Structure formats: C-alpha cells, structure tokens
Amino acid sequence: GAGVSQSPSNKVTEKGKDVELRCDPISGHTALYWYRQSLGQGLEFLIYFQGNSAPDKSGLPSDRFSAERTGGSVSTLTIQRTQQEDSAVYLCASTLVAGTGANVLTFGAGSRLTVL
Amino acid sequence: DQQVKQNSPSLSVQEGRISILNCDYTNSMFDYFLWYKKYPAEGPTFLISISSIKDKNEDGRFTVFLNKSAKHLSLHIVPSQPGDSAVYFCARGGGSNYKLTFGKGTLLTVNP
C-alpha cells in the first residue's frame, strides 16, 4: 500500500485478555519495526524484523509479548494476559533496507490500546 | 548506552518567530540524527536528518545544527507557523544502526 497500515486503530480490553495488533508495511519494505509510546514517554523500541526473522527482540517488555511476520509483509504483535501498564499507542514502522543512509522509518498511525 | 535526551517537555512561541528545539546525546558512535514531527492520533513523520560529518542541514524553514563537541543538536524553525504545533522527537541511528533511538519529545505550540 501507499503507507503503513495498522489495525485496529483503537482497542479497549479487559485486564487478562489477549490482544492482537496488525501491521501492513509499505510494499517492498524489508525491514519492519514495532515501537510503543506510553503516556508522557518517548518512542520505545520493541522489536525489529528483517524479512520474516527478528534479529532483535530486545525491547519486548516481557514474555507476554510476541510478534511474528509472515511472507515478508504483514506483522502481528500479540500481547497475552494484558495488564494495565500495557496501555499505550503501539506504532509500526517500515523501511526499504535497514541501516542505509539515515535509515528513515515510515510510521503507521498506531494502535491505541487501553487495558481496563 | 546510546541515549538521546530532550530536556524541554514543551515550548511555546508566537507565529512568525523562531522555534528552537534542543536535543542532547551521550556516546559519539552514531551516523545520523533525525527529527520527527507527530500530530495527535497520527504516526510520527520524518522531518529532517543530519549526518555526523556535517554541522548543519537546511530544508526550507527547517535547519538542524549539530555541535559535536557539546554533544548537542538543535532544530530551528523559521518562521514558525500554527501548523507547526506538534510533538517533535529527535532520534539517533542510521548507517550501520538498524534501529532509531528516540528522545521523549518536545511539544511545540505556535500561537497565532
């Protein structure tokens, strides 16, 4: 597509439920990133994909968080047994080839997650 | 630890005046710094970058200055317009770094 598409745009869930957030990157972009922005905080790196593999998962906050990418395209971020501290805007970004030039990432509009 | 710090959470300026947004960093191992702008309910959008081999980069109303001895960079917006009101993030990365590390952002408000 023309831009990075994320769904849902808003998700309200109860504590303890599982959620899935989807990201559809720009067509042809090999690198895909997940970041999150909690209230009053900057953008926190979660995970990076090169193709379908994730060489860097160091930002995932706990083992309740997981992500996968299939076909070198769509990615899903899954949060199991959600907690209130998981409430944040989850942002997906992609770039053609990571680590080239300024490595400009193109972001989606984000998925706002609220855990009650 | 490659940290990026934006020490001013907010800045308010009058339309037509200059806006100066600041960013400090630790560790000199970097290739690029980038500035992103974020409106509410939208994703961050890339604004301008600067390479470590430069002191200044200019694009229209936006200029980024890099002071390597002070480990400091700044974004100048001249003249400021109400549509510039947004949160501005500085980030480091680029080159051999595959991920961007962001500061906490500065909320710029340009008053008509």
Side-chain angles (χ1 to χ4, degrees):
Chain A
V4 178
S5 178
Q6 292 188 245
S7 62
S9 56
N10 279 287
K11 176 71 176 180
V12 180
T13 191
E14 293 180 347
K15 177 182 173 181
K17 296 289 179 89
D18 297 351
V19 297
E20 283 190 354
L21 308 176
R22 176 190 167 103
C23 173
D24 201 341
I26 292 173
S27 178
H29 279 195
T30 64
L32 184 147
Y33 302 76
W34 284 97
Y35 282 80
R36 76 174 176 181
Q37 185 181 18
S38 304
L39 191 63
Q41 299 299 311
L43 278 69
E44 175 189 7
F45 168 79
L46 296 179
I47 187 169
Y48 154 68
F49 286 93
Q50 178 57 50
N52 290 335
S53 64
D56 188 348
K57 306 178 183 179
S58 63
L60 296 178
S62 73
D63 58 8
R64 296 185 296 103
F65 288 72
S66 62
E68 65 175 12
R69 188 180 185 195
T70 55
S73 181
V74 173
S75 176
T76 302
L77 177 69
T78 301
I79 309 173
Q80 295 179 309
R81 304 180 303 282
T82 52
Q83 303 294 312
Q84 289 183 331
E85 61 262 29
D86 299 335
S87 297
V89 177
Y90 289 82
L91 292 156
C92 178
S94 69
T95 190
L96 187 60
V97 179
T100 56
N103 200 36
V104 175
L105 305 186
T106 302
F107 283 86
S111 293
R112 179 177 294 278
L113 174 65
T114 303
V115 182
L116 301 177
Chain B
D1 185 21
Q2 298 184 358
Q3 287 195 340
V4 176
K5 293 182 180 180
Q6 294 178 259
N7 293 318
S8 298
S10 63
L11 173 68
S12 182
V13 300
Q14 284 299 119
E15 181 178 6
R17 308 296 276 275
I18 184 171
S19 295
I20 301 177
L21 298 149
N22 295 302
C23 184
D24 297 305
Y25 62 93
T26 59
N27 194 322
S28 300
M29 299 298 291
F30 73 96
D31 294 297
Y32 285 87
F33 279 108
L34 300 84
W35 284 93
Y36 276 77
K37 178 170 72 173
K38 186 181 185 300
Y39 293 119
E42 295 184 12
T45 56
F46 171 71
L47 198 55
I48 191 169
S49 66
I50 187 166
S51 162
S52 60
I53 63 173
K54 293 189 174 182
D55 298 321
K56 174 184 174 181
N57 189 26
E58 187 173 358
D59 184 1
R61 297 185 297 114
F62 302 91
T63 303
V64 56
F65 295 93
L66 178 60
N67 183 334
K68 289 183 277 291
S69 61
K71 296 186 178 180
H72 177 84
L73 73 156
S74 59
L75 174 67
H76 293 212
I77 306 173
V78 183
S80 301
Q81 300 173 353
D84 295 330
S85 297
V87 177
Y88 289 78
F89 293 96
C90 70
R92 66 187 301 168
S96 59
N97 296 313
Y98 55 82
K99 67 183 178 185
L100 299 182
T101 302
F102 288 85
K104 290 189 175 183
T106 297
L107 173 63
L108 173 66
T109 303
V110 180
N111 301 302

